[in-house]
Amino acid sequence: MSETSSVSKGCFVFKSSSKKRKRHGGVDGYLVDDDGDDNGRDRFRICQKLMDTVQMHIEEIQDQLNKKVLDNLVEFIKKHEHCYSSDVWRQRASEIPTAALMLGVNVPDHAMTFRSLCNLLQDSVTRFVVSVHAKDCAAVKLLIQRVLDQLMGKGVSLDEELEDDAAVPQRTQCAMSTLCQWYKTVPKKCALVSPERREHSKNKDLPRRMPIVVIFKDFEAFNSQVLQDFILICSRYSQELPFIFIFGIATSPSAIQHRLSHSVSSLLCIEVFHSLSCTQHLASVFDQLILTSQFPFKLSSRAIQVLLGIFLYHDFSVQNFVKGLQLSMLEHFNSQPLSVLCCQKREALLCAKTLSQQNVERIRHLPSFMRYVETQEPQVQVQLLTSDEHVKEVCQKLLKKLHKYHKNYYPILQCLHALTSSLPKCPLGKHLRELHVSCIEKNVWETEEYASAMQLLRILAKDELVAALRNCADILKSASTKRMQNVLKQVEDFVDKLEELECNFTQDPPGDDVILSGMDYQRRTDLFQLQKNLLEKESRRTKKMSPFEILQNQVLQFIDDLVREYLTPAELQPLSEVCYYSSSGVLRQRLNAAPRMSIQAALSHPFYYLQKEALKTNAGTVSSTAPDICIIYKLHLECGRLINLYDWLEAFVTVISAAEDKDQSSDEYGEYDSLKHARFIQAVSEMEFLGFVKSTKQKTDHVARLTWGGC
């Protein structure tokens, strides 16, 4: 007892130094700056709110895009569910209904689609839904085991009285006969458990014929023999077990022919279902999430190009694109203290009123705010540089202007895209995101593509121009600003004036200057002279513009004025740094990982990873206390294309002998025993596994080097 009391008396508390960075508890503590800024909690709260908004919108978009194909799959299963209780199924009992779901090459997005499909089927069609992966089903026994585990587990969990050891199959009982016995008993008991099911199941045969849906999520990855054996087994039991298969295919329907033989595929009644492409999915994400004024966080043109490059050239995954967007949000709120203003308009104005002196000083150092100060009068400049209260008032006005800019920018952007997206060769881009990148990067009206688009708009027929203007009117109807409503009225007036015209142009009666003289008519066979006369008379003739051409020029001039007024680059707007994330280099470094460079840096400079003072060396030298693979790596940098294993071993033993403090003049220095030999072999094997060397047939005692250079 005395020892315990003495230990308790030896506990003391030491206060940390005030100069050290104050760390808040929780995740929001990481958003606190080194200089003592205390808006980390607010930034974390705003960032978390935006994260939840993004996730909610992504799920809604996913449900909207997959609704059609999922509804078709449900109808397909319901149709065959009714057939199972009729004579048609008994006549074609050997054929298993199969849905080939074409999902595309965006494999990371398939998980969300299958999750929605399973939930929809369990809620509206059948409780017996099984989803299997190829990695878990390397053999037929494992595949049957997965199916039985998921099915019989669901059946037992519906009623607590059924949860006994006898109802759960052991691995030795995993056979289709066990599933048949379970299917004959469980649906009858389950139909009496829920009163709702008792009311809806007026047909007593419905629970007995409830289909068993097996979803193969990655059909191409399954072993062909495993699939064929499983289908043959299921076909033998098709009269007792109403199976329905769903194949998740990423490539094309021909994958079924490549994976299954004709005798096996003839046992399937296949129907193909196509989902929307990943590019259409990405366009929906852009239109409803990024290109909208309701979402305060914005991406610069370079950041968008980095995310689009990863999407188009790597995985076509919308989910990974969204993760990149979320990473951009985290980086923005972590690196920019003024991101506390990156929120909805009302909340941003309240935050602007309570800005700290430090954040006011940060606003003064923003490039966009400095440009704004330079455009003001000298007296106003002095107030902006000296008075914090005046900066807060101006900041509120600029935030209102920034939000108004976004509300006017996106409708005009969509109108310009509606006018130019159907033009030949799509000079301003086929997708809205391409036009958006061009507009926020530079003055789009100064580009050659914009001039080409305006020239092509001048040759549109009246019907085409009216249809394009009607699309613009539909877009402007959803705009909320008064200015956009005035633009809508002007567009509708142009549509009414164009519809009043009887034809696209009025043709003037031919005059004397157009009718060829008798001499010209006699020389009509002389093509050169005829062309010369026509060009001379056409040059002397003054063409009179038709009413359609006059009205068309007015429409194009009106569109050009809107573009120049509202589609200015975002970086020219004051306080744009508050909402726009532009660190494309950081984003590329985080998402486009370079594993080989990281491995080379770790092997060349192990001190920065292991934090051992003994590993500090000068450039080009090898530390004898470094890990074996680091020594092997640095030694192989001194070799050419082929490396002699014996010389490599001798150099390795020489280096590690220096760590044992042996005398260099002794006979034992540089000699290797079985332990050193084993360490060398293990290190070389690790180098081969990492892809730095490989065995070669040119010389048996040599290895070939696969990389050049180093860190």
Side-chain angles (χ1 to χ4, degrees):
M1 294 298 293
S2 59
E3 294 179 358
T4 305
S5 60
S6 63
V7 171
S8 62
K9 292 180 180 179
C11 297
F12 302 94
V13 178
F14 296 91
K15 294 184 179 181
S16 59
S17 176
S18 59
K19 296 182 180 180
K20 293 185 179 180
R21 175 178 175 178
K22 184 179 179 181
R23 176 71 69 181
H24 293 275
V27 184
D28 53 344
Y30 290 96
L31 299 183
V32 179
D33 298 321
D34 294 331
D35 47 7
D37 185 36
D38 199 17
N39 62 359
R41 294 184 182 276
D42 294 334
R43 281 188 285 156
F44 176 77
R45 176 181 53 81
I46 297 172
C47 182
Q48 185 66 37
K49 185 177 180 180
L50 291 179
M51 286 282 190
D52 297 338
T53 304
V54 169
Q55 190 64 31
M56 181 183 65
H57 280 77
I58 289 299
E59 293 178 358
E60 292 178 356
I61 294 171
Q62 182 78 15
D63 294 339
Q64 293 174 2
L65 296 179
N66 291 334
K67 185 178 185 304
K68 184 177 180 181
V69 64
L70 294 183
D71 291 344
N72 293 336
L73 283 171
V74 171
E75 293 298 327
F76 169 79
I77 295 176
K78 286 183 178 180
K79 178 181 66 175
H80 289 281
E81 179 187 6
H82 295 306
C83 293
Y84 279 132
S85 58
S86 62
D87 296 335
V88 178
W89 168 73
R90 300 183 184 278
Q91 295 175 2
R92 303 176 59 184
S94 60
E95 291 187 359
I96 301 176
T98 303
L101 181 57
M102 312 306 301
L103 295 173
V105 296
N106 51 331
V107 178
D109 299 340
H110 295 177
M112 181 177 292
T113 303
F114 284 121
R115 184 165 58 250
S116 302
L117 177 60
C118 292
N119 295 334
L120 183 61
L121 292 177
Q122 291 175 355
D123 294 339
S124 59
V125 181
T126 177
R127 302 185 302 273
F128 308 130
V129 180
V130 180
S131 59
V132 291
H133 278 285
K135 62 180 181 180
D136 301 328
C137 307
V140 181
K141 183 178 180 181
L142 295 176
L143 178 55
I144 297 176
Q145 174 68 35
R146 291 290 178 180
V147 172
L148 266 64
D149 285 345
Q150 296 187 37
L151 283 177
M152 303 180 74
K154 292 179 183 295
V156 172
S157 62
L158 292 177
D159 189 0
E160 295 181 357
E161 296 180 358
L162 301 178
E163 294 182 358
D164 51 0
D165 297 335
V168 181
Q170 302 296 327
R171 288 191 176 273
T172 56
Q173 300 175 351
C174 289
M176 286 298 175
S177 58
T178 306
L179 183 60
C180 291
Q181 298 175 2
W182 171 85
Y183 185 76
K184 292 177 182 179
T185 57
V186 173
K188 294 180 181 179
K189 297 180 181 180
C190 294
L192 301 176
V193 172
S194 176
E196 298 178 357
R197 291 191 178 275
R198 190 182 308 139
E199 294 178 2
H200 293 288
S201 61
K202 296 180 181 180
N203 185 3
K204 296 182 180 180
D205 294 334
L206 182 59
R208 299 177 184 176
R209 297 265 62 86
M210 190 174 292
I212 300 175
V213 180
V214 182
I215 301 175
F216 299 85
K217 293 185 176 181
D218 45 354
F219 176 79
E220 291 97 336
F222 276 86
N223 184 275
S224 300
Q225 192 61 41
V226 172
L227 282 174
Q228 295 185 40
D229 294 343
F230 182 75
I231 293 173
L232 288 173
I233 295 173
C234 293
S235 177
R236 298 292 179 87
Y237 288 89
S238 58
Q239 294 183 359
E240 302 177 14
L241 299 172
F243 282 108
I244 294 179
F245 294 158
I246 297 179
F247 293 160
I249 301 176
T251 54
S252 65
S254 60
I256 299 178
Q257 300 177 357
H258 296 158
R259 309 297 295 175
L260 304 177
S261 62
H262 176 71
S263 59
V264 176
S265 60
S266 61
L267 301 176
L268 304 176
C269 181
I270 303 175
E271 187 172 344
V272 181
F273 297 87
H274 292 273
S275 63
L276 289 179
S277 63
C278 54
T279 54
Q280 294 175 327
H281 192 176
L282 180 67
S284 300
V285 171
F286 256 92
D287 297 345
Q288 302 182 32
L289 189 61
I290 297 179
L291 301 182
T292 175
S293 59
Q294 303 299 325
F295 193 65
F297 176 75
K298 308 296 179 184
L299 293 173
S300 66
S301 59
R302 293 184 178 180
I304 292 177
Q305 290 174 354
V306 169
L307 295 179
L308 288 178
I310 297 174
F311 174 84
L312 296 174
Y313 299 107
H314 287 79
D315 52 10
F316 288 100
S317 173
V318 179
Q319 296 300 318
N320 291 344
F321 178 86
V322 174
K323 291 179 181 178
L325 175 62
Q326 294 175 339
L327 176 62
S328 304
M329 294 170 56
L330 289 174
E331 290 288 341
H332 178 67
F333 281 92
N334 183 35
S335 60
Q336 177 59 269
L338 294 176
S339 59
V340 70
L341 302 175
C342 182
C343 51
Q344 298 299 331
K345 180 180 177 180
R346 182 178 300 178
E347 187 178 358
L349 295 178
L350 293 176
C351 293
K353 293 180 181 180
T354 59
L355 285 174
S356 62
Q357 182 180 2
Q358 192 174 15
N359 284 334
V360 171
E361 192 65 27
R362 289 192 178 102
I363 290 179
R364 292 193 178 105
H365 287 83
L366 291 178
S368 62
F369 189 80
M370 295 172 65
R371 289 193 297 266
Y372 171 78
V373 173
E374 293 174 356
T375 59
Q376 303 302 312
E377 298 293 333
Q379 297 178 354
V380 180
Q381 291 182 2
V382 173
Q383 291 182 350
L384 291 174
L385 296 177
T386 57
S387 175
D388 293 349
E389 295 298 328
H390 185 65
V391 172
K392 294 179 183 179
E393 295 178 0
V394 173
C395 181
Q396 297 176 40
K397 296 179 181 179
L398 294 179
L399 286 175
K400 292 180 181 179
K401 185 178 179 181
L402 183 62
H403 284 269
K404 187 176 180 180
Y405 162 79
H406 288 142
K407 289 183 178 180
N408 294 331
Y409 172 85
Y410 293 112
I412 301 300
L413 179 72
Q414 295 174 6
C415 290
L416 182 60
H417 178 258
L419 290 168
T420 60
S421 60
S422 60
L423 294 177
K425 296 184 180 180
C426 300
L428 290 180
K430 185 177 181 181
H431 301 283
L432 182 61
R433 59 177 181 268
E434 299 174 357
L435 179 60
H436 172 66
V437 170
S438 301
C439 291
I440 64 176
E441 189 175 13
K442 54 189 174 182
N443 295 331
V444 67
W445 58 86
E446 297 178 355
T447 61
E448 297 180 359
E449 292 80 7
Y450 179 80
S452 176
M454 297 303 292
Q455 290 294 332
L456 292 174
L457 287 175
R458 295 183 185 277
I459 63 175
L460 287 180
K462 187 190 73 172
D463 297 338
E464 296 174 341
L465 184 59
V466 169
L469 291 177
R470 284 178 177 173
N471 293 335
C472 295
D474 295 337
I475 294 171
L476 293 171
K477 288 180 182 178
S478 60
S480 59
T481 60
K482 295 181 179 180
R483 176 55 180 157
M484 290 298 103
Q485 295 301 320
N486 295 333
V487 173
L488 174 61
K489 293 180 181 179
Q490 292 178 290
V491 171
E492 291 176 346
D493 291 341
F494 281 125
V495 172
D496 295 337
K497 292 179 181 180
L498 288 171
E499 289 179 343
E500 292 176 358
L501 297 177
E502 295 181 356
C503 56
N504 291 345
F505 61 92
T506 57
Q507 184 176 1
D508 295 334
D512 297 336
D513 55 344
V514 180
I515 301 176
L516 295 177
S517 62
M519 184 179 299
D520 294 334
Y521 180 76
Q522 293 176 358
R523 291 185 299 178
R524 63 183 181 277
T525 55
D526 190 354
L527 298 180
F528 177 77
Q529 188 65 27
L530 178 62
Q531 183 182 13
K532 181 180 179 181
N533 294 336
L534 289 175
L535 291 175
E536 291 177 356
K537 294 180 179 181
E538 185 67 22
S539 62
R540 293 194 301 267
R541 177 184 170 210
T542 58
K543 184 178 179 181
K544 183 179 179 180
M545 296 182 64
S546 65
F548 170 72
E549 292 174 341
I550 296 175
L551 189 56
Q552 186 185 43
N553 290 335
Q554 295 177 0
V555 172
L556 296 181
Q557 184 62 39
F558 174 71
I559 295 171
D560 185 67
D561 294 340
L562 292 176
V563 170
R564 294 174 183 268
E565 182 178 0
Y566 296 108
L567 297 187
T568 56
E571 62 180 8
L572 300 180
Q573 302 297 320
L575 302 184
S576 60
E577 296 87 350
V578 171
C579 299
Y580 282 84
Y581 176 73
S582 58
S583 300
S584 58
V586 176
L587 195 61
R588 185 182 293 106
Q589 183 181 5
R590 297 289 189 272
L591 297 178
N592 276 350
R596 191 172 75 89
M597 295 181 62
S598 301
I599 293 173
Q600 287 179 334
L603 296 179
S604 301
H605 309 286
F607 165 74
Y608 298 103
Y609 292 83
L610 301 179
Q611 294 297 318
K612 291 184 179 181
E613 293 294 333
L615 298 179
K616 276 188 176 182
T617 57
N618 298 327
T621 60
V622 183
S623 174
S624 58
T625 59
D628 294 344
I629 189 173
C630 297
I631 300 174
I632 289 293
Y633 171 78
K634 284 202 170 185
L635 290 175
H636 106 287
L637 293 178
E638 303 174 358
C639 303
R641 189 179 67 87
L642 296 179
I643 305 176
N644 190 311
L645 288 174
Y646 182 78
D647 296 340
W648 202 4
L649 173 61
E650 290 290 335
F652 172 73
V653 172
T654 302
V655 173
I656 63 176
S657 297
E660 299 175 356
D661 297 332
K662 290 185 178 181
D663 187 9
Q664 297 184 3
S665 60
S666 62
D667 296 337
E668 296 180 357
Y669 186 84
E671 293 184 358
Y672 61 91
D673 51 12
S674 59
L675 179 59
K676 296 178 181 178
H677 195 185
R679 290 169 58 184
F680 173 77
I681 294 175
Q682 182 179 2
V684 173
S685 301
E686 292 174 353
M687 288 282 291
E688 185 177 5
F689 176 76
L690 293 175
F692 289 99
V693 295
K694 72 171 185 178
S695 58
T696 177
K697 295 181 179 180
Q698 296 181 2
K699 294 183 179 180
T700 56
D701 57 344
H702 285 64
V703 292
R705 183 177 173 184
L706 299 179
T707 60
W708 298 97
C711 298

